[in-house]
Amino acid sequence: GGVAVAGPWGCPPHGAAAVLRPGTGQVFVFAEAATSDAEATATPAGTVVGATGLAVRDLDDDGCTELVAERGDGVPVEVGP
């Protein structure tokens, strides 16, 4: 199964959700949530080997949050643009 996190992140804020496949480290981003009229489309955002979770954090204290993958070593890795 996948690990999900709700958005948004960035400046200006974007991203509705992201999903990590822990077995492969692949991260997919959904720009918009699905509705009753439209399916959500995932875009590959990157691969982080050893990732176990996702989070939205302000890594550099600039007031803008980033989508990050969390690994067992505790070092967050920024994912995507």
Side-chain angles (χ1 to χ4, degrees), residues 22-45:
T24 64
Q26 293 174 295
V27 178
F28 298 89
V29 170
F30 294 85
E32 297 179 357
T35 66
S36 60
D37 298 325
E39 295 181 5
T41 302
T43 302

Side-chain angles (χ1 to χ4, degrees), residues 3 20-27 47-54 68-72 75 77 79:
V3 177
L20 164 69
R21 289 185 177 160
T24 64
Q26 293 174 295
V27 178
T47 300
V48 180
V49 176
T52 58
L54 292 173
V68 297
E70 299 172 324
R71 300 184 304 189
V75 178
V77 178
V79 181

